Amino acid sequence: MFLLMTIKDLKLLLKDRRPLVTLLVLPMVFIAIVGMSTGQLLTGGDTRKAPRLAISNADTSEYGNMLVERYQSRPNLDVQIATNAGQAQSLVDLGRVDGALMIGPEFTAKVDELGLRDVLDPDHGQLSGGLSAIDLSLDLRPGLVDAEMFRAALLSDLLKVIAPIVGRRNALTRRFFIDSATTPEDVDNEAPSSTEAPTNETSPADATRKKVESTASGAVDSAIPTAAQPVVAKPKENAAANVYLILVPGFTVMFVFFVVNIMARSFLAERDRGTLDRLRIAPIPASGILIGKTLPFFLVSLTQVCLLFVAGKLFFQMSWGPDPVWLIPMMICTSLAATSLGLLLATIVQTDQQVAAYGTSLVILLASISGCFMPRDWLPPVMQTISLATPHAWSLIGFDVILTRRVVDTPVVLQSCAVLLGFSLAFFTAGYVRFRAMTQV
C-alpha cells in the first residue's frame, strides 16, 4: 500500500516543477555565483587578479637591480616601478597597489655585511631586526586579504636573492652557489691563495674542521639533485577545482535540507484535500503511512545530491576523491537525515505560513552553524563543537574526508554515516509520535 502512496507522490512532485527548481537549479546558481566571485567559474585555473606591488629602488648597485628583476620575473605578480619611496608609499595609501617595497641606497652594502649564519638563522642574526637591517621597507595596504601570505611570498623571493650572494662568499657553500659560467670542477680546482702556506702536516683542529666540512658537504650533495637524480615535479593542482571541493558539498548539504519545506507543504495539501484523514482510517499502520509519504521525497533528495555532484564534476572539474564509492553511503545517509527532519516538521506545522517561517529559518540556521557557507576549518573551535549537534556538520565532515584527502579516512566516514543514521532515527521517531498524536485527536 505504501508503494502506491510513493508512486502517487512522485507523480505529484514531477507535475509541479517549482520544487525541482528549488532543489536543483538554485544550488547550481549559488555555486556558480560564489565560484564567479572567486574568479574560478568554469575555468581550469585561477583567473583572479594578480597582487600588485610597487617598488622604488634607491640602490644604484647590482643587488638592488637583481631584487627588482626577481619580482618582475614573477608571472603572478603585477610589479609597478615607482620613481621614489614617496610615490610608492602614495600608491599604497591610495589603494592602487597591494604593497610597496622601498629599496634603500644602502641595500647592497648591508647585504655584503651578512654572513651565512644570518641567512640560515634570520631570527638570531643581523636579519632579526627586520627588513630595516638591510635597508628595506615593506608596507602593505590596510585590509588586504591574506596579507601575511603576500608578505611571506615577498620575503621568500628576497631570501632567494640574498642567499646565493652570501653563499658564494663562504668556502663551505661556494660550490653550491656558482655562476652559470663556472663549473663545479673549476671551483674544486681553484688554487690555494698565496696567503695560505702549504704544509704536509695536519693539526687536530684542521682535521676536525675538514671532517665537519666533509660531512656538511656530503649532506648538501645528497640534498641537491644531480643529473642522475632529476627533479620530479609534482603535478599542478587545479585551483578552481579545489574551490569547488568546498562549494559543491556545502551548498548541496544546505539545499538538500530544503526538502523539509516541500514535505511539509505536501502534508498540508493532503490534509486540506482530506486524503490524510482517509489514510488515517484505512487499515494501514501509522509507520506504513509515514514510510509511504517519506520514500518519494527520499528518492528526490538522493537524486538531487547525485545530480549536483555530477554537475560539479562536469561543469566545475571537481574531483570525487581517491575512492568515490564512499560517496554513496554519505549521500544516502544525508538524504535520510533530511527527509526524516522534513517528516518531523510536517507533523508540527499547521499552516503554509508556518512552513515558510519555521522551515526556511531552520534550514538557514542549521546551514550557518554547521559551515555550509564557508569551510569548517574557518569556524572557531567553539562553533565547530556546537555544529556537531547538526546533521549538516556530519555530512560536511564525511564529504570532506572523501573529497579532499589523498586516502579516505574510513573510520571518519563510517562515524559520520552512523551519526546521520542516528539523526534520521530520532527525527523519524519524533515524527511518528507526533503523527500518532494527530491520529488520536
Side-chain angles (χ1 to χ4, degrees):
M1 183 67 181
F2 70 86
L3 290 179
L4 295 177
M5 289 188 290
T6 299
I7 295 174
K8 175 184 70 72
D9 284 344
L10 279 176
K11 290 181 178 179
L12 291 175
L13 284 173
L14 294 177
K15 184 181 297 185
D16 187 359
R17 305 299 171 85
R18 290 174 297 177
L20 300 180
V21 172
T22 302
L23 296 178
L24 295 177
V25 178
L26 280 183
M28 293 300 300
V29 171
F30 270 80
I31 292 170
I33 290 175
V34 177
M36 187 184 302
S37 68
T38 63
Q40 296 170 343
L41 173 64
L42 296 175
T43 62
D46 195 346
T47 60
R48 290 175 294 179
K49 186 185 298 183
R52 300 161 298 175
L53 177 68
I55 302 179
S56 67
N57 184 15
D59 183 22
T60 57
S61 300
E62 177 185 7
Y63 298 164
N65 294 329
M66 290 174 57
L67 185 59
V68 173
E69 291 174 0
R70 173 73 190 186
Y71 289 124
Q72 288 179 325
S73 66
R74 290 282 299 266
N76 56 345
L77 185 64
D78 182 9
V79 175
Q80 302 180 25
I81 303 299
T83 56
N84 52 58
Q87 184 186 20
Q89 184 67 58
S90 177
L91 291 174
V92 176
D93 295 339
L94 295 174
R96 296 177 182 174
V97 295
D98 300 312
L101 179 68
M102 284 73 78
I103 305 174
E106 300 296 323
F107 175 66
T108 295
K110 296 293 185 180
V111 171
D112 283 335
E113 296 175 3
L114 297 177
L116 187 61
R117 181 177 181 274
D118 299 319
V119 176
L120 297 180
D121 190 13
D123 293 334
H124 299 91
Q126 295 187 38
L127 294 177
S128 60
L131 295 179
S132 59
I134 51 176
D135 201 16
L136 289 180
S137 177
L138 176 63
D139 184 30
L140 299 182
R141 175 173 57 84
L144 177 64
V145 179
D146 295 334
E148 290 304 317
M149 294 181 62
F150 187 34
R151 182 191 302 272
L154 296 177
L155 296 182
S156 174
D157 279 337
L158 171 64
L159 189 60
K160 291 176 182 178
V161 172
I162 294 177
I165 296 173
V166 177
R168 291 189 187 97
R169 297 200 301 262
N170 187 280
L172 177 62
T173 59
R174 184 183 302 122
R175 61 175 300 191
F176 306 112
F177 295 100
I178 58 177
D179 295 328
S180 58
T182 311
T183 63
E185 289 76 10
D186 295 333
V187 177
D188 292 337
N189 296 331
E190 283 182 353
S193 64
S194 58
T195 58
E196 296 178 355
T199 176
N200 293 329
E201 296 182 0
T202 303
S203 65
D206 290 337
T208 302
R209 178 180 58 80
K210 290 181 178 180
K211 183 177 180 180
V212 172
E213 290 181 358
S214 176
T215 303
S217 178
V220 178
D221 281 339
S222 62
I224 296 180
T226 62
Q229 299 173 330
V231 177
V232 179
K234 293 183 178 181
K236 205 171 194 179
E237 293 186 353
N238 190 329
N242 289 341
V243 169
Y244 290 108
L245 288 176
I246 300 173
L247 296 182
V248 173
F251 284 107
T252 296
V253 172
M254 172 184 169
F255 277 93
V256 78
F257 278 85
F258 269 102
V259 75
V260 302
N261 289 359
I262 302 173
M263 288 186 66
R265 287 193 171 92
S266 174
F267 266 71
L268 289 178
E270 294 275 7
R271 187 193 63 185
D272 295 340
R273 289 195 298 263
T275 308
L276 197 58
D277 292 332
R278 291 194 293 270
L279 288 174
R280 290 176 182 175
I281 63 177
I284 307 173
S287 59
I289 296 176
L290 295 181
I291 292 175
K293 296 295 295 180
T294 304
L295 187 57
F297 296 97
F298 168 74
L299 296 177
V300 170
S301 175
L302 186 59
T303 303
Q304 173 197 14
V305 178
C306 293
L307 290 178
L308 289 176
F309 270 80
V310 170
K313 181 73 170 180
L314 295 179
F315 298 118
F316 308 121
Q317 297 85 46
M318 184 192 76
S319 169
W320 284 352
D323 198 356
V325 70
W326 285 105
L327 290 172
I328 298 175
M330 279 305 307
M331 292 177 177
I332 293 175
C333 293
T334 299
S335 295
L336 278 174
T339 50
S340 299
L341 179 61
L343 172 64
L344 175 59
L345 181 67
T347 58
I348 294 176
V349 296
Q350 299 297 324
T351 64
D352 192 69
Q353 290 76 11
Q354 290 182 351
V355 174
Y358 299 161
T360 304
S361 300
L362 181 65
V363 171
I364 299 297
L365 178 63
L366 294 179
S368 304
I369 295 175
S370 60
C372 290
F373 297 136
M374 66 184 70
R376 282 184 51 81
D377 292 339
W378 292 9
L379 297 177
V382 175
M383 285 301 300
Q384 291 188 25
T385 302
I386 294 176
S387 68
L388 296 180
T390 68
H392 301 58
W394 291 99
S395 295
L396 294 174
I397 292 172
F399 284 128
D400 180 69
V401 299
I402 296 173
L403 299 175
T404 65
R405 303 294 192 271
R406 292 178 179 172
V407 178
V408 176
D409 194 343
T410 305
V412 175
V413 177
L414 295 178
Q415 180 188 26
S416 300
C417 290
V419 174
L420 287 171
L421 290 176
F423 275 113
S424 304
L425 181 60
F427 293 149
F428 188 87
T429 302
Y432 175 80
V433 172
R434 285 282 308 170
F435 185 76
R436 289 292 301 272
M438 293 168 55
T439 306
Q440 296 173 1
V441 174

